[in-house]
């Protein structure tokens, strides 16, 4: 009787080990991006996809919607801010004074 129970336990353990080995063969993909002004973290394990951050609402789908929000129109009357220019002397000065990385 004890021999039969021992064999059953060994077969169950062998099945669990084979299941773990099979699960380790499935690729795990982690994607972090910055979309729409917010950070997004998605995980894909085989066919299973889930968005981890930000957490999705109950009614939201996991797939992104195909409709994109309309882009706001730029006002042409706005004054453009001047960009900070960096010249060659500033670069050489920084290379001389700053410590090496």
């Amino acid at each position: 009787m004890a021999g039969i129970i021992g064999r059953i336990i060994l077969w169950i353990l062998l099945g669990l080990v084979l299941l773990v080995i099979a699960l380790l063969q499935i690729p795990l993909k982690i994607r972090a991006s910055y979309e729409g002004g917010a950070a997004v973290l998605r995980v894909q394990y085989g066919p299973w996809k889930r968005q981890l951050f930000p957490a999705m609402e109950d009614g939201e789908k996991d797939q992104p919607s195909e409709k994109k929000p309309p882009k706001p129109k730029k006002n042409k009357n706005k004054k453009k801010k001047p960009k900070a220019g960096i010249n060659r002397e500033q670069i050489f000065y920084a290379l001389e004074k700053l410590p090496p990385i």
Side-chain angles (χ1 to χ4, degrees):
M1 188 67 144
I4 295 174
I5 295 174
R7 286 184 182 180
I8 292 173
I9 292 174
L10 284 176
W11 280 107
I12 291 172
L13 289 176
L14 179 64
L16 289 174
V17 168
L18 291 175
L19 178 66
V20 168
I21 290 172
L23 290 175
L24 289 175
Q25 299 301 318
I26 299 172
L28 173 68
K29 297 178 183 177
I30 299 173
R31 179 179 173 202
S33 62
Y34 190 75
E35 296 175 0
V40 177
L41 179 65
R42 293 186 180 109
V43 174
Q44 179 179 356
Y45 183 70
W48 181 75
K49 296 177 184 177
R50 183 73 178 156
Q51 181 173 328
L52 297 179
F53 182 81
M56 298 194 63
E57 301 287 326
D58 291 334
E60 291 183 33
K61 293 183 179 179
D62 205 17
Q63 300 294 332
S65 63
E66 293 180 17
K67 295 182 180 178
K68 293 183 181 179
K71 293 181 181 179
K73 295 182 180 180
K74 295 181 181 179
N75 190 357
K76 294 182 180 180
N77 295 336
K78 288 185 179 180
K79 295 181 180 178
K80 292 184 180 180
K81 295 181 181 178
K83 293 184 179 180
I86 299 176
N87 57 24
R88 184 180 298 170
E89 289 79 24
Q90 291 172 334
I91 294 173
F92 287 139
Y93 178 79
L95 289 174
E96 290 174 3
K97 298 297 178 180
L98 294 176
I101 298 175

